Amino acid sequence: MDRQTLASSSISQVPSPDAWITTYKTLLPKWNSFPLAHQMIPITISRVNQFDAARLDVEMSAMLKEQLVKVFSLMKPGILFQYEPELDAFLEFLIWRFSIWVDKPTPGNALMNLRYRDERVMEVRGKVRTGLEGPGLTPAQKLWYCIATVGGQYIWTRLQSFSAFRRWGDSEQRTLGQRAWLLLQHVEGIYKAASFGNLLIFLFTGKYRSLIERSLRARLVYGSPNMNRSVSFEYMNRQLVWNEFSEMLLLLLPLLNSASLKNLFRPFSKDKSSDSATDEISCPICQGSPSIPFLALPCRHRYCYYCLRTRCAASPSFRCPRCSQPVTAMQRLGGSVDENSAKK
């Protein structure tokens, strides 16, 4: 009897198929009322990654330019310098054409696991997301990005070179050129001030590292949420070792070039017979052939005039490096004794 009662009660507790739909319709308004349902999950993109990506793009453009310049190395010298702005614009256009235009990240962004996302579409949709999804740039945004980065930089470079060639800033030129020069200076100042303000905002919020990205609402986000930033410290270690080695060389080179250190290791030299003849005619201080030969007295070893004169003036008790005798006077080779010059 108890088993029948339990079975009947369990059957009566099974909800009907319509109960799930009713419960969904009842809970959906409450779910939509939560603030999280209308906001996107906030994410933080590393500012260092974004700056590194920009730097890597600049280095990539410089490498391409270096390889392209080698192609024209056999041409007339200086001909490529006249078209350097066009060359830079062409390389920037190639990078834009094969990266941003085809919905791919630039080389620097790819290495830092970054991509561009249209923030306008993300704000309109307003759904709960991980923070990394979202569509890329629209064709209009891509074109404006090319016009601003490639075309704007080329036009500005040409305007600066043309104004410098025409000497618009010269006071003797006509008034129209002066006004154009002042206008360019004001525009440059305003742009630098706006860029500095954008940099401060970027450091605070982590969004839009440049004015072009802020005006187009093109934000850099991570391309893959599961991809870690793998950094190899091999080249960094090499750079640190080379810096320490160069600093050590800068410290030791003056000591290695000093005459006292050379004379210290001279007795350990293997070939003493071949050096004995040259030692008698070379200056013991600079180890070179004396241009104005003078003799140190009383040992009569040959010196350069300036070497012997400066050593005697710096140290009155100067001794000859070869025989360790004190130098009391100096005599020009084939001339008279000059005692005063050695004692001064």
Side-chain angles (χ1 to χ4, degrees), residues 127-293:
K127 295 182 180 180
V128 179
R129 296 179 178 272
T130 62
L132 298 179
E133 295 86 358
L137 302 181
T138 61
Q141 287 177 313
K142 297 174 185 178
L143 289 176
W144 279 113
Y145 186 90
C146 178
I147 293 173
T149 56
V150 181
Q153 184 178 0
Y154 168 72
I155 293 174
W156 182 255
T157 304
R158 274 305 179 187
L159 277 177
Q160 286 186 329
S161 60
F162 183 77
S163 61
F165 178 75
R166 294 291 183 178
R167 297 183 179 180
W168 285 356
D170 196 352
S171 59
E172 298 179 357
Q173 298 294 327
R174 53 192 181 186
T175 308
L176 183 61
Q178 293 178 0
R179 292 180 179 178
W181 175 261
L182 293 177
L183 179 62
L184 290 177
Q185 297 299 317
H186 288 311
V187 170
E188 185 179 5
I190 293 173
Y191 178 77
K192 289 182 178 180
S195 299
F196 179 72
N198 181 79
L199 176 61
L200 296 179
I201 298 174
F202 170 76
L203 294 177
F204 181 74
T205 61
K207 298 180 181 180
Y208 312 117
R209 63 186 177 182
S210 64
L211 292 174
I212 298 174
E213 295 177 359
R214 186 172 297 275
S215 59
L216 297 177
R217 303 302 300 274
R219 185 187 179 186
L220 284 173
V221 296
Y222 292 121
S224 175
N226 300 322
M227 181 177 178
N228 297 325
R229 182 189 178 193
S230 59
V231 180
S232 176
F233 295 97
E234 180 181 0
Y235 297 101
M236 186 181 296
N237 293 335
R238 291 182 181 178
Q239 186 69 20
L240 291 175
V241 171
W242 174 249
N243 288 337
E244 294 298 330
F245 183 69
S246 61
E247 291 180 1
M248 183 184 67
L249 288 180
L250 291 176
L251 179 63
L252 295 179
L253 280 178
L255 301 177
L256 295 176
N257 290 331
S258 63
S260 59
L261 192 62
K262 291 181 179 180
N263 294 328
L264 179 64
F265 291 99
R266 190 177 300 276
F268 303 98
S269 177
K270 295 182 179 179
D271 191 6
K272 297 181 179 179
S273 59
S274 60
D275 294 339
S276 58
T278 58
D279 288 344
E280 296 297 331
I281 60 175
S282 62
C283 176
I285 298 176
C286 66
Q287 302 299 325
S289 179
S291 56
I292 305 178

Side-chain angles (χ1 to χ4, degrees), residues 69-142:
V69 167
K70 291 181 179 179
V71 177
F72 300 95
S73 59
L74 299 179
M75 298 181 62
K76 182 180 179 181
I79 188 173
L80 195 62
F81 178 76
Q82 302 176 359
Y83 303 99
E84 187 174 1
E86 286 78 8
L87 179 61
D88 294 338
F90 175 70
L91 293 177
E92 293 294 335
F93 175 78
L94 287 181
I95 295 176
W96 170 85
R97 172 61 181 81
F98 294 102
S99 59
I100 297 178
W101 179 249
V102 293
D103 292 327
K104 292 183 179 180
T106 60
N109 293 341
L111 291 175
M112 294 293 107
N113 187 27
L114 298 173
R115 69 176 183 89
Y116 278 115
R117 185 181 69 184
D118 188 3
E119 286 294 292
R120 301 174 301 174
V121 179
M122 295 302 298
E123 291 180 359
V124 172
R125 290 182 178 181
K127 295 182 180 180
V128 179
R129 296 179 178 272
T130 62
L132 298 179
E133 295 86 358
L137 302 181
T138 61
Q141 287 177 313
K142 297 174 185 178

